[in-house]
Amino acid sequence: TTLARSFRSVPAVLKLVDGLFEKVPEARAGVVGEGEVLRHEPHRADDPGAVELWPLLCGSGDGDDREPWPLPLPRRPTDPQPQLAELVARTIRGWLERGELLESRGRPIRPDDILILVRRRGVIQELVVRQLRRHGVPVAGVDRMRLEEHIAVRDLLAIGHAVLLPEDDYTLACALVGPLLGLSHAELHELAAERGSERLFSRLRTFARTRGGAFAEALARFERWRARADYVPPYEWYAWILGAEGGRRRILERLGVDAAEPVEAFLAEALLFEEGHASSLQGFLHWFELGAGELARDPEKGGGTVRVTTVHGAKGLEAPVVFLLDAGPRGTPPERSPLVWSRDGRGRPHLPFARRRKDGRPQAVARWVAEDERMRAEEENRLLYVALTRAADRLIVAGWAGGRATEADIDGCWHGFVRRALEGLAPDIARRPLEPPGGERGEVLELRTGPRRPPRPAGGGARAVLPVLPDWIARPAPVEAGLQSPCAPTRLPELIGEGAEEEAEELPPVSDAAAREARRRGLAVHALLEHLPAVEPARRRDVARRLLDVGFPELAAQAEALVDEVLRVMELPELAPAFGPQARAEQPVAGRLRDGTPVLGRIDRFVLDGGRILLVDFKTHRTPPSRGAFPQPVLRQMRAYAEVLAGVFPGRRVEAAVVWTAGPEVTFLGPEQLLPERG
């Protein structure tokens, strides 16, 4: 059982496919078995559609269609690839401007209806993308690219190497004429010519001092970048150059918006490098050049743009309108490997042998070469089938031929296969003239099926319109104030009101050993004061001893004295509310003071007693202060607590009791001392 019904393509496309693999014997291998006939049954039998074969564009030379980037050199008027790219871009722009109807769907063609296919990656992809953007057609760019091969990434690499070693004249020259530093080739020639053994960097400094202008600007920018390169990670360094230093804008102005994605992918590589390596510019450049990544897009996600991809990458895709651009003899596969593989009994590669020239091959090698050629031809035929059947409504086949292409070459390429198939479908074939830009007039072969519908009036298309950018887009963003970390109340800045300085005194310094001992003693006292109020008075001494024995065994010699000290504090009548059942021990408190300062602390004991707020703080490692003075850090602490609590419980009177447990002695602070502005 064969799956002959096609739910994708209109009859015009299927008639071409069936006719090609029936009437062109060279195309059958690998697609149609011996004695079989390929027949598709269209599910969309009544939908209109078309197949067009554009004439081959012929040039005077072969060129090299495998360049990763079309060099900015003057091209001959007879170069066929720029002509074809211009013709495709003009055609698509015309469709969008006049609202060309997609007849089977009853609406105008949109950019994401269009899929452009090439047999292999090369200059034609970049030329088509560039021309589409020049004509205002939304395009996603090429589907896959080696980052290190893109000219924008090469400029970024050149800047990095030049900063690391300015004495490398060639690298510095490449960086100077790139968009980041911006010298023209004429200025570089003036800078580099007749300098003898003088380094280019030294010459640049001389020109910057004596002539100024572009030389001074390039040197100043370069020196800023050098000064920072040793102190920041690669990602931060490049992001600063591209952002604050305006590098991204200069690159896009010179190379176009299609350079944006490679630049962003390069920054992503820098960030990835920093995750697993020591951050150095030299290390990043070495790591990147050892194995630069690829920029890859998902061709299924058009996003309202024209898609450009290879035939191999288009497997599983479809589009209403498909262009197959390099179907000519220059679209042949890459040159053969110098090796050929022998095959085992299952046809799998076994051992490599030198391919050698045809007249010098041993019989076994000749057999393996023939087998290799047969497998390559079958794969090419399968790719042709994939390319033709991606089209749902319209298929346009085009290509070019080099000056040395023969009639046999043209007849044996994909373009020749399609031409022979269409000519075999006469008289259903229409012919119309086509005049490409800068090329000779040719003839289009067209196969149409289904009823024609009248075109819509002009102006139904939607051409890309660039928005007007606001004036703030080029200004650096203002620096945001950093988040303020909460302060412990004892470390707050001066909070004492006017006239209180003469009443305050600082706590005297202590040695480190004494501070450690006082800390352990303070923790023990605070633990007892936290837990003992919940214990029956008759059992408090025994419970206190056990707590000290378990939690503070190093204080065994002081245990009895500490228990006595705590019990005396708890017996003070003025502190009775603080040890009552409504009081809270070790109460966390957080808030902001009037000036916005965040405060985070802990109140030893805290109680809401009628209309007042009573907070108690125990001091265990100091003797009571002298008469008429009060320690400034303690006053700051109490005022901070009071201000926060006054905001939480408005309308209540705030009082604080500072208890010197060694006495014990209690110092009460009223609202006039805690909140002098309110008191």
Side-chain angles (χ1 to χ4, degrees):
T1 301
T2 59
L3 300 176
R5 179 173 289 269
S6 171
F7 291 87
R8 174 187 299 145
S9 302
V10 296
V13 175
L14 298 178
K15 284 181 70 173
L16 168 68
V17 173
D18 292 348
L20 190 151
F21 289 101
E22 178 184 1
K23 296 179 171 62
V24 182
E26 304 98 298
R28 294 175 57 85
V31 179
V32 184
E34 189 67 30
E36 294 181 359
V37 177
L38 187 63
R39 286 287 182 268
H40 288 91
E41 180 183 347
H43 179 75
R44 305 170 58 197
D46 298 326
D47 285 351
V51 173
E52 296 181 17
L53 179 69
W54 289 0
L56 281 178
L57 303 183
C58 298
S60 59
D62 288 335
D64 184 359
D65 62 344
R66 290 167 295 149
E67 297 173 8
W69 180 270
L71 298 177
L73 301 174
R75 290 187 175 268
R76 299 183 298 275
T78 55
D79 283 350
Q81 295 183 69
Q83 293 179 32
L84 181 57
E86 170 72 12
L87 178 60
V88 170
R90 282 199 324 194
T91 300
I92 296 175
R93 184 192 66 181
W95 289 349
L96 299 179
E97 286 182 340
R98 66 174 178 267
E100 177 78 8
L101 193 66
L102 193 59
E103 294 178 327
S104 65
R105 317 203 179 191
R107 60 168 176 80
I109 293 176
R110 302 190 299 248
D112 54 359
D113 291 328
I114 301 170
L115 176 64
I116 297 177
L117 300 180
V118 295
R119 295 173 71 177
R120 56 174 171 159
R121 296 177 181 88
V123 169
I124 185 63
Q125 281 182 294
E126 293 290 348
L127 289 173
V128 169
V129 170
R130 182 179 297 180
Q131 289 297 333
L132 288 172
R133 285 182 171 145
R134 190 171 71 86
H135 285 276
V137 177
V139 59
V142 298
D143 64 325
R144 190 175 296 273
M145 172 182 289
R146 294 280 302 172
L147 281 180
E148 63 181 352
E149 294 176 347
H150 198 281
I151 192 170
V153 175
R154 290 183 179 181
D155 285 330
L156 293 171
L157 293 174
I159 285 293
H161 285 298
V163 161
L164 291 173
L165 187 63
E167 291 77 14
D168 184 345
D169 290 347
Y170 175 74
T171 301
L172 180 59
C174 292
L176 287 172
V177 296
L180 293 173
L181 293 179
L183 291 187
S184 67
H185 283 79
E187 289 168 333
L188 177 63
H189 182 270
E190 185 181 2
L191 181 68
E194 300 180 359
R195 59 188 171 88
S197 60
E198 185 180 7
R199 290 289 185 191
L200 189 63
F201 188 45
S202 174
R203 180 89 158 187
L204 176 63
R205 284 175 164 169
T206 302
F207 271 50
R209 184 176 62 255
T210 58
R211 302 195 182 187
F215 300 106
E217 184 179 348
L219 178 64
R221 197 177 297 156
F222 186 72
E223 291 286 21
R224 285 199 305 272
W225 300 348
R226 284 186 69 208
R228 194 163 183 171
D230 289 337
Y231 299 100
V232 296
Y235 172 80
E236 184 178 334
W237 187 73
Y238 273 114
W240 171 66
I241 290 176
L242 291 168
E245 290 286 291
R248 182 182 284 101
R249 174 179 51 81
R250 287 190 289 271
I251 288 176
L252 299 185
E253 286 176 351
R254 173 84 69 87
L255 303 177
V257 295
D258 51 320
E261 281 187 286
V263 168
E264 297 305 322
F266 179 80
L267 284 177
E269 291 289 309
L271 198 58
L272 179 64
F273 169 79
E274 293 179 12
E275 291 179 0
H277 303 80
S279 294
S280 73
L281 180 59
Q282 185 172 4
F284 166 65
L285 295 177
H286 176 71
W287 173 84
F288 181 84
E289 291 168 342
L290 282 178
E294 284 188 329
L295 175 62
R297 296 184 184 88
D298 185 353
E300 292 191 24
K301 299 177 181 178
T305 59
V306 175
R307 293 169 289 171
V308 183
T309 185
T310 62
V311 176
H312 190 276
K315 291 180 179 179
L317 300 181
E318 64 176 77
V321 182
V322 171
F323 285 83
L324 177 57
L325 291 193
D326 56 348
R330 286 299 296 163
T332 52
E335 56 273 0
R336 304 295 188 260
S337 166
L339 299 177
V340 64
W341 289 82
S342 66
R343 304 282 168 172
D344 60 16
R346 298 184 180 180
R348 298 175 301 187
H350 183 50
L351 293 173
F353 290 85
R355 185 180 291 267
R356 304 181 66 175
R357 295 182 50 165
K358 187 174 183 179
D359 56 1
R361 290 174 185 160
Q363 185 176 2
V365 174
R367 185 171 66 253
W368 296 328
V369 169
E371 177 68 10
D372 184 60
E373 296 291 342
R374 181 189 65 78
M375 295 176 65
R376 286 177 179 272
E378 291 181 356
E379 177 62 18
E380 283 292 301
N381 292 339
R382 287 189 287 269
L383 286 176
L384 175 59
Y385 179 84
V386 169
L388 300 180
T389 55
R390 298 310 93 196
D393 296 87
R394 290 191 187 184
L395 172 65
I396 298 172
V397 180
W400 67 93
R404 289 176 290 193
T406 65
E407 286 297 326
D409 293 333
I410 294 175
D411 197 52
C413 67
W414 285 4
H415 191 280
F417 291 175
V418 174
R419 176 177 52 79
R420 288 154 63 185
L422 288 176
E423 289 174 346
L425 294 173
D428 297 335
I429 302 303
R431 299 174 186 268
R432 59 180 172 83
L434 178 70
E435 187 170 346
E440 299 181 358
R441 187 184 183 91
E443 187 177 64
V444 175
L445 300 183
E446 184 179 40
L447 171 65
R448 280 191 173 270
T449 58
R452 295 295 300 272
R453 298 179 183 175
R456 292 194 173 185
R463 232 185 131 183
V465 178
L466 294 178
V468 177
L469 298 178
D471 56 358
W472 51 260
I473 201 72
R475 296 198 304 265
V479 178
E480 295 185 7
L483 292 177
Q484 205 172 0
S485 299
C487 297
T490 53
R491 298 186 179 181
L492 287 170
E494 183 61 54
L495 296 173
I496 299 177
E498 257 185 68
E501 285 82 353
E502 57 270 11
E503 296 182 4
E505 66 176 16
E506 292 289 348
L507 294 172
V510 294
S511 65
D512 291 343
R516 285 193 297 270
E517 182 182 352
R519 176 175 174 76
R520 293 299 295 169
R521 183 178 183 277
L523 290 174
V525 171
H526 278 78
L528 294 175
L529 289 169
E530 177 184 0
H531 298 291
L532 289 183
V535 179
E536 295 177 6
R539 299 179 55 243
R540 285 175 180 171
R541 184 173 292 275
D542 291 337
V543 171
R545 289 169 178 168
R546 289 200 300 271
L547 191 151
L548 293 176
D549 185 50
V550 173
F552 303 91
E554 70 277 10
L555 299 178
Q558 308 177 42
E560 285 300 324
L562 291 176
V563 173
D564 290 339
E565 181 177 321
V566 168
L567 293 179
R568 285 197 299 270
V569 170
M570 294 179 63
E571 291 169 358
L572 293 173
E574 58 267 39
L575 296 182
F579 294 111
Q582 303 300 320
R584 295 186 179 184
E586 300 296 326
Q587 174 64 50
V589 60
R592 286 186 178 273
L593 304 183
R594 290 189 297 271
D595 63 358
T597 303
V599 173
L600 180 64
R602 186 180 296 271
I603 300 175
D604 291 342
R605 295 199 75 84
F606 161 76
V607 65
L608 296 177
D609 184 25
R612 71 167 179 167
I613 303 168
L614 177 63
L615 59 98
V616 180
D617 193 77
F618 302 110
K619 301 301 178 186
T620 63
H621 60 296
R622 301 291 180 190
T623 56
S626 58
R627 293 288 178 185
F630 198 81
Q632 183 173 339
V634 178
L635 188 57
R636 291 195 195 112
Q637 180 184 13
M638 295 299 103
R639 284 183 170 176
Y641 286 151
E643 189 169 327
V644 172
L645 291 175
V648 176
F649 303 102
R652 294 179 184 252
R653 185 166 52 91
V654 183
E655 294 182 5
V658 180
V659 181
W660 311 92
T661 61
E665 183 175 321
V666 181
T667 302
F668 278 94
L669 302 173
E672 66 284 354
Q673 294 170 291
L674 295 174
L675 303 170
E677 294 182 5
R678 301 182 184 183

